[in-house]
Amino acid sequence: MQRKDIKEIILDYLRSNCNAPISAEDLLEALAGEFSATKFWNELLALEKDGRIVKTRFGTYGLPEKMGLVTGRLQLTSKGFGFVIPDNKGDRPDVFISPRMLNGAMNNDRVMARVNYDINGKKPEGEIIRVITRAHNKIVGTFFQSRDYAFVVPDDKKIASDIYIMRRDFNGAKNNQKVVVEITEWPQEHRKAEGKVVEILGKLGDVGLEILSIIKQNDLPLEFPTEVVEASKKVPKTVHKNELAGRRDLRHLPIVTIDGEDAKDLDDAVYVQQLSMDEFLLGVYIADVSYYVTEDSTLDKEARERGTSVYLVDRVLPMLPERLSNGICSLNAGVDRLSMACEMHINREGKVLDYEIFPAVIHVRHRLSYNIVREILAGDEALLAKYEDILPMVGLMDELREILHKKRARRGSIDFDLPEQRVILDEKLRPIEIVQRIHGNAESIIEEFMLAANETVAQHMFKQTWPFVYRVHDLPAEDKMQELAKLLANFNVKFKVSEEMEPAEIQRAVRAMEGRPEERLVSTVALRSMKQAVYQTDNIGHFGLAAKYYTHFTSPIRRYPDLIVHRLLREWMQNPVMPSAKAEPLTDKLDVIAEHSSLRERAAAEAERATVKLKMCEYMEEHIGEEFDGVVSGVTAFGMFVELPNGVEGLVHISSLMDDYYEFYEERYALVGTHTKNQYRLGDKVRIEVLQVNIQDVSIDFIMAGENAGVREHIRQQLLGRQSHSAAYGQKRSGGAAPSKAGNAQRKNKASNKAFVAKKSKGSKNKEASRRSAKHGKDKNSKKRRKKR
């Protein structure tokens, strides 16, 4: 604790008393009497090493932000550029980093960058001048061997450089094997990264290899360590009487859980009562995980490292061992469970009039699913009889849901009605169907109730002036909003961009597209224009929800920040006044937890998306040669992306458009034929044929429906040639010499991917008939899912 205090004293002095860099001797003299010289030097060096202060070439010290520098986390994109997200971000803007300014930094590294601002000071750009800490020292990729050396081509498209492997570090790896490489030398300006093979995952084409690679690539743990499993066995299976002291007994209430059919980690339960014509009682009861997972215990350290449960397409990687996640912490029906309660009195305008937060013991009456609630609301007679004891409450829940939703809409909260897909697998984990996740009133009941509880807890802790972990969502970047405005202008929707955007303005623009064919695509672009929500200790509000205060309180079984929020609430209940000497070190600790949790959440989301996309490719492999109606979901200089009704997206390469030469008009989001003036715009309905699927690259190529067999074969060969060229060139992309045999091996591997010439569907007699039918094709499927934000 003392070490933290010394650092804060040094930083506070530099912030408040120094208009220029200061020597260490002058700084020590100014702080004389605060601590010993030895402790001062230790902490000064630690601050410099961590990038929180900077030592100049003249031996003086200053704060990065006062020297045109920024310290933060680097987030790269698949296009090669990235952004530095500042530490303790607050309202500071992200800093754009071009590929040539990375200087060896890699995705998620903690870096220091020199910042340059444009004339208006709104769009900072920078150059990485120092890598403070590396995010990952292991990378997953494909091994390509030459005589005395090899390269590993990373699976992660955000890593633009191959990894050079010396023969002595092959460790048994062979051509076309998927491996894990440990970095031994980091990349420099004209030099590749070097590494050694530490794990061989399998040979390309092995069953289950791709998902295993995704898990390893995102550094997700497969199994719990032995000591964690042993620690979980010491947790009791049932609630004992001696654990009820200090808890409010609510076991008499008809509390229910509402979750998906296959959910096993039930961390939230609800209860609604009408107190008067104008007032409701909403009770949200959350599993009291912090009672069982104590600070810095074996279970806590493992949960902190994992950060979140990960829901992949074929498995769940839980944050806590099953004995807790599906057992004593899960709010299972018919058994006593410890909970942290948030009870709110809410009027018909949706305003929280009063609230209480307290520990409780509950006994869930019924384990409901979304489907059950949906059928009850629809009047299913069998379910009405089965759940007769809670029918009035279910009706009140739906009434309160609408009240809370309207309140959020009035203040400008943005709801993107975007479908989400679920891939159904058979017993051999092969995809057999892609279905829509339903998001109706049943899902919305839980969503609105959890949002209300999260806001209430966040506002409460903010007013207590306690260090806390908030869920924040920053203002969107102005350039992104300008792009959205250009898109909306194509559909005659006015959207005024300002420096301080209000969420209601985006809400109105999205609503203006309701019912139009382009509604979904505009919503998608608007969503992509937003910044990512993150965890941090500085409360800046949640833009998307139009909320001044927001946190994550409702899922401590599967999210570590929620567990921390419960722990802070418990500490506040025991001692409402936070000692000032404890506040700063606690804030520092929470900053680290918040940043790590944000990183793990992002890795989990990327892994979840990657496994779904992979299974979609496997599914479409069985539909090569078939025709589908779709919608143009993206337009680029090299072609257009088309999304099918089942959510699958593929590329129609510009070279496959055989009826004309096409030019890309960025401001119109369109490809326009030079002679025919035929155009493909964002949102247009088209009819396509599935040409080929590349499982290794997780990509799908479409062509326009109706092309004859000769044209299809010509296009297929063009695409294969382009892939082979890219594979060979991939060895040279970071500037080093590429081993010729490795290049040959990669070309052979690319050519071996499934790329079948499709047979023309019966319904397409000729190209023009097919194109006419494309304009009138109807989607067959749609998809959506409720998320707890």
Side-chain angles (χ1 to χ4, degrees):
M1 293 294 184
Q2 185 61 25
R3 287 174 61 86
K4 294 281 188 179
D5 289 340
I6 295 173
K7 288 178 182 175
E8 289 302 325
I9 289 171
I10 293 172
L11 291 171
D12 286 343
Y13 185 85
L14 292 174
R15 292 186 190 108
S16 305
N17 299 284
C18 296
N19 295 320
I22 184 174
S23 69
E25 292 75 12
D26 289 344
L27 183 58
L28 177 59
E29 182 179 349
L31 300 175
E34 295 281 354
F35 32 71
S36 70
T38 300
K39 289 182 177 180
F40 168 79
W41 282 107
N42 287 339
E43 298 306 318
L44 189 72
L45 293 174
L47 286 168
E48 182 196 357
K49 182 179 180 181
D50 198 38
R52 299 177 72 184
I53 64 173
V54 178
K55 184 179 181 180
T56 71
R57 67 184 66 183
F58 303 106
T60 55
Y61 293 86
L63 296 170
E65 57 267 30
K66 290 189 175 183
M67 302 170 70
L69 305 173
V70 63
T71 300
R73 187 73 58 180
L74 175 66
Q75 289 184 11
L76 287 178
T77 69
S78 58
K79 296 180 180 179
F81 62 85
F83 297 88
V84 174
I85 314 300
D87 290 343
N88 305 319
K89 179 176 169 55
D91 57 0
R92 290 188 292 168
D94 300 341
V95 179
F96 175 82
I97 308 292
S98 69
R100 61 189 179 87
M101 295 298 183
L102 291 172
N103 295 328
M106 300 175 76
N107 190 44
N108 280 332
D109 286 350
R110 190 160 176 272
V111 300
M112 183 177 290
R114 180 177 290 111
V115 185
N116 299 310
Y117 292 89
D118 67 6
I119 298 175
N120 298 321
K122 295 176 183 176
K123 300 178 181 179
E125 298 187 10
E127 176 182 3
I128 305 298
I129 61 172
R130 176 187 166 196
V131 176
I132 298 170
T133 54
R134 294 286 183 177
H136 305 290
N137 68 337
K138 293 180 181 178
I139 291 172
V140 177
T142 306
F143 184 89
F144 297 109
Q145 180 183 347
S146 184
R147 292 179 180 176
D148 299 318
Y149 59 91
F151 285 101
V152 170
V153 179
D155 286 356
D156 188 351
K157 300 298 187 292
K158 296 176 184 177
I159 301 175
S161 174
D162 305 332
I163 314 300
Y164 176 80
I165 312 292
M166 298 182 70
R167 176 173 284 277
R168 67 170 183 265
D169 295 320
F170 287 6
N171 293 328
K174 300 184 184 303
N175 254 342
N176 293 328
Q177 284 187 331
K178 193 78 75 171
V179 299
V180 180
V181 174
E182 184 178 294
I183 303 296
T184 56
E185 295 287 339
W186 295 100
Q188 298 178 11
E189 188 174 357
H190 300 294
R191 181 176 169 182
K192 290 178 179 290
E194 297 181 17
K196 62 180 180 181
V197 175
V198 295
E199 186 176 359
I200 299 172
L201 301 180
K203 189 173 180 62
L204 295 181
D206 287 353
V207 176
L209 176 63
E210 282 77 15
I211 286 187
L212 178 60
S213 299
I214 291 168
I215 290 171
K216 293 289 185 178
Q217 178 182 322
N218 288 280
D219 197 22
L220 303 176
L222 279 167
E223 305 292 341
F224 285 100
T226 303
E227 62 271 20
V228 176
V229 175
E230 292 302 316
S232 72
K233 291 179 180 178
K234 297 177 183 178
V235 176
K237 290 185 176 182
T238 58
V239 175
H240 300 291
K241 289 184 178 180
N242 59 2
E243 296 176 303
L244 305 186
R247 293 181 179 273
R248 194 173 303 179
D249 192 341
L250 302 178
R251 287 177 288 184
H252 61 286
L253 295 179
I255 295 170
V256 299
T257 60
I258 307 175
D259 281 275
E261 298 282 356
D262 54 355
K264 296 178 181 178
D265 50 350
L266 313 179
D267 43 21
D268 57 85
V270 291
Y271 167 74
V272 174
Q273 178 185 350
Q274 186 161 8
L275 301 176
S276 68
M277 287 296 295
D278 298 316
E279 188 175 335
F280 299 86
L281 170 67
L282 169 61
V284 175
Y285 309 98
I286 307 301
D288 194 354
V289 180
S290 65
Y291 176 80
Y292 298 103
V293 182
T294 55
E295 186 173 8
D296 290 330
S297 64
T298 301
L299 290 169
D300 183 50
K301 290 176 181 177
E302 180 69 14
R304 184 188 310 159
E305 181 59 31
R306 292 182 175 229
T308 181
S309 293
V310 187
Y311 298 87
L312 303 180
V313 70
D314 66 339
R315 73 193 77 183
V316 177
L317 304 176
M319 185 180 78
L320 295 170
E322 185 176 328
R323 186 180 174 106
L324 284 87
S325 61
N326 297 359
I328 190 65
C329 292
S330 183
L331 303 182
N332 300 327
V335 292
D336 292 349
R337 286 292 184 259
L338 305 183
S339 78
M340 190 70 77
C342 178
E343 291 189 344
M344 297 154 280
H345 291 236
I346 301 174
N347 67 12
R348 288 197 170 273
E349 297 300 312
K351 182 180 179 180
V352 177
L353 305 173
D354 196 10
Y355 67 88
E356 275 190 284
I357 303 169
F358 55 89
V361 56
I362 65 173
H363 189 97
V364 171
R365 183 76 58 87
H366 294 291
R367 194 277 197 219
L368 304 179
S369 68
Y370 297 122
N371 287 334
I372 289 173
V373 173
R374 195 171 2 262
E375 294 302 319
I376 288 175
L377 293 174
D380 183 280
E381 292 186 4
L383 291 177
L384 291 177
K386 181 177 179 180
Y387 297 103
E388 183 180 7
D389 59 322
I390 58 167
L391 290 184
M393 184 174 71
V394 173
L396 288 174
M397 286 179 175
D398 194 40
E399 185 178 356
L400 184 56
R401 169 204 62 79
E402 187 173 4
I403 289 171
L404 292 172
H405 182 76
K406 286 182 177 179
K407 179 196 72 172
R408 286 199 302 112
R410 286 195 301 270
R411 73 186 187 196
S413 180
I414 309 168
D415 285 325
F416 293 108
D417 187 19
L418 293 173
E420 192 170 345
Q421 300 78 36
R422 180 186 176 197
V423 182
I424 307 298
L425 308 179
D426 64 14
E427 65 279 359
K428 294 183 178 180
L429 303 182
R430 294 176 302 199
I432 56 175
E433 189 179 6
I434 301 174
V435 299
Q436 174 188 0
R437 291 187 184 271
I438 300 172
H439 187 275
N441 286 1
E443 290 80 6
S444 184
I445 285 172
I446 294 300
E447 182 177 16
E448 294 297 339
F449 290 1
M450 299 305 113
L451 290 173
N454 287 334
E455 288 188 47
T456 299
V457 170
Q459 182 174 2
H460 170 79
M461 291 302 282
F462 182 84
K463 291 184 176 180
Q464 304 305 311
T465 66
W466 262 59
F468 198 60
V469 176
Y470 296 94
R471 178 69 167 178
V472 302
H473 186 213
D474 204 356
L475 295 170
E478 188 173 342
D479 59 334
K480 295 287 187 181
M481 291 294 96
Q482 294 287 2
E483 292 175 10
L484 178 60
K486 289 179 183 178
L487 173 62
L488 288 166
N490 283 280
F491 307 118
N492 297 316
V493 174
K494 293 182 179 180
F495 181 64
K496 184 178 179 181
V497 178
S498 60
E499 185 175 348
E500 296 291 330
M501 292 292 300
E502 293 291 336
E505 297 173 60
I506 299 175
Q507 180 202 68
R508 283 192 290 271
V510 171
R511 282 184 174 178
M513 296 298 299
E514 285 183 2
R516 298 173 64 168
E518 304 84 5
E519 175 187 0
R520 178 179 170 187
L521 294 167
V522 169
S523 294
T524 300
V525 172
L527 179 61
R528 291 173 181 170
S529 301
M530 300 288 188
K531 293 184 178 178
Q532 289 182 319
V534 296
Y535 299 105
Q536 67 180 43
T537 57
D538 184 16
N539 179 43
I540 61 170
H542 195 293
F543 180 84
L545 293 172
K548 291 182 179 179
Y549 315 97
Y550 196 66
T551 191
H552 274 169
F553 159 74
T554 55
S555 297
I557 293 177
R558 62 183 180 90
R559 290 190 305 225
Y560 191 72
D562 301 55
L563 176 55
I564 289 296
V565 165
H566 280 232
R567 197 170 285 158
L568 292 170
L569 284 169
R570 183 181 301 279
E571 194 170 343
W572 165 79
M573 291 172 187
Q574 295 170 352
N575 185 11
V577 179
M578 166 65 71
S580 58
K582 187 179 178 181
E584 288 180 353
L586 177 57
T587 300
D588 286 343
K589 182 175 182 178
L590 295 178
D591 280 333
V592 174
I593 290 172
E595 182 182 25
H596 178 72
S597 297
S598 296
L599 289 173
R600 298 319 301 157
E601 176 193 33
R602 197 169 301 121
E606 288 178 1
E608 290 167 9
R609 284 194 297 267
T611 57
V612 169
K613 188 175 180 181
L614 172 67
K615 290 300 178 182
M616 284 183 167
C617 282
E618 292 180 8
Y619 177 81
M620 293 306 295
E621 211 173 19
E622 302 300 320
H623 296 275
I624 289 174
E626 296 181 24
E627 293 185 4
F628 296 90
D629 294 319
V631 177
V632 177
S633 57
V635 184
T636 71
F638 53 83
M640 58 182 172
F641 290 93
V642 175
E643 185 173 341
L644 306 185
N646 61 6
V648 170
E649 191 174 59
L651 173 67
V652 177
H653 196 271
I654 195 168
S655 62
S656 74
L657 299 173
M658 306 300 289
D659 62 334
D660 202 346
Y661 291 106
Y662 281 82
E663 295 182 8
F664 173 48
Y665 288 80
E666 185 176 8
E667 71 282 355
R668 291 159 60 183
Y669 291 84
L671 293 174
V672 180
T674 304
H675 303 291
T676 63
K677 301 304 178 184
N678 182 40
Q679 62 177 336
Y680 296 102
R681 296 175 57 199
L682 195 67
D684 281 354
K685 291 182 178 181
V686 294
R687 189 167 181 82
I688 59 85
E689 180 181 307
V690 182
L691 178 69
Q692 64 180 14
V693 175
N694 189 319
I695 297 298
Q696 184 185 346
D697 286 348
V698 196
S699 64
I700 302 172
D701 284 300
F702 296 154
I703 57 173
M704 301 306 295
E707 301 290 3
N708 63 48
V711 170
R712 285 202 303 275
E713 174 64 14
H714 175 69
I715 294 170
R716 187 180 72 88
Q717 292 299 331
Q718 278 190 323
L719 292 172
L720 282 175
R722 178 162 47 87
Q723 290 170 357
S724 298
H725 175 74
S726 298
Y729 182 73
Q731 301 295 343
K732 300 181 180 180
R733 56 186 168 161
S734 58
S740 58
K741 287 191 176 181
N744 290 335
Q746 190 165 2
R747 281 192 290 274
K748 289 178 184 178
N749 175 64
K750 292 287 186 180
S752 68
N753 283 294
K754 290 192 176 180
F756 302 111
V757 179
K759 295 181 180 179
K760 187 168 68 174
S761 297
K762 294 180 179 179
S764 299
K765 293 185 178 179
N766 57 57
K767 181 178 176 182
E768 289 304 314
S770 175
R771 291 191 187 280
R772 285 195 298 271
S773 66
K775 295 181 180 180
H776 303 287
K778 294 184 179 180
D779 294 349
K780 299 177 182 178
N781 302 312
S782 56
K783 347 117 206 118
K784 179 67 185 169
R785 159 183 167 189
R786 187 269 297 180
K787 278 192 176 181
K788 298 178 187 177
R789 283 180 279 188

